[in-house]
Amino acid sequence: MTLEDLVRLRRARDLMDREYAEPLDVAALARVALMSPGHFSRSFRAAFGETPYSYLMTRRIERAKALLRRGDLSVTEVCLAVGCTSLGSFSSRFTELVGESPSSYRARRHDQGAAIPACVAKILTRPVRNREAQSAAPPVA
């Protein structure tokens, strides 16, 4: 992979970071990266370790967690605010990445992280896929 390819992939990833609530698909992202959809998907995964869809959903779930912590929006409103169109898919993905349902996450207290700077909180609250969490966990003796 060339440096130019990485720059174009980063441009598409930055678009996902900025426009996570917009209806983005692989074809649109591939156009931003000036690649075919298939080549873009393979290159994105090779460069960043996950598929474009997985990366986008992680961004959406990160933002959803922040909105749910505020507590002033319903789960459905949060789902739509982060760009998801199916409450069922959103809830399933949220539960997969966070380990609890959006309703449970919204209902519990979140004031223990209130004093943490936002840049640190973003790292600490980043959703982790169950497979990643299992591989990062220390072995059980």
Side-chain angles (χ1 to χ4, degrees):
M1 186 174 312
T2 67
L3 182 59
E4 186 176 308
D5 287 341
L6 289 172
V7 168
R8 291 189 308 223
L9 290 170
R10 179 68 185 260
R11 191 177 308 133
R13 190 179 74 170
D14 290 346
L15 176 69
M16 285 188 269
D17 289 339
R18 278 190 321 273
E19 305 291 333
Y20 63 87
E22 297 302 317
L24 298 171
D25 60 12
V26 171
L29 295 167
R31 282 191 298 276
V32 169
L34 305 175
M35 297 177 179
S36 71
H39 182 66
F40 171 74
S41 291
R42 288 186 300 275
S43 299
F44 191 95
R45 185 178 189 124
F48 302 118
E50 60 186 324
T51 66
Y53 176 77
S54 179
Y55 183 85
L56 178 60
M57 285 305 295
T58 300
R59 295 289 80 69
R60 288 176 172 173
I61 298 302
E62 282 177 352
R63 183 63 183 141
K65 286 176 70 176
L67 293 172
L68 289 167
R69 281 194 299 272
R70 286 187 357 201
D72 60 342
L73 297 174
S74 71
V75 172
T76 302
E77 290 169 326
V78 169
C79 168
L80 297 173
V82 299
C84 295
T85 56
S86 165
L87 182 58
S89 296
F90 168 75
S91 295
S92 295
R93 187 63 170 212
F94 189 98
T95 302
E96 175 189 340
L97 293 175
V98 178
E100 64 184 312
S101 72
S103 299
S104 297
Y105 185 84
R106 182 180 184 271
R108 75 177 164 84
R109 296 178 57 120
H110 296 282
D111 50 332
Q112 75 275 7
I116 299 173
C119 59
V120 175
K122 182 178 178 182
I123 294 168
L124 295 176
T125 62
R126 183 169 197 262
V128 177
R129 283 165 199 72
N130 290 334
R131 291 179 304 247
E132 292 173 6
Q134 290 170 354
S135 65
V140 178

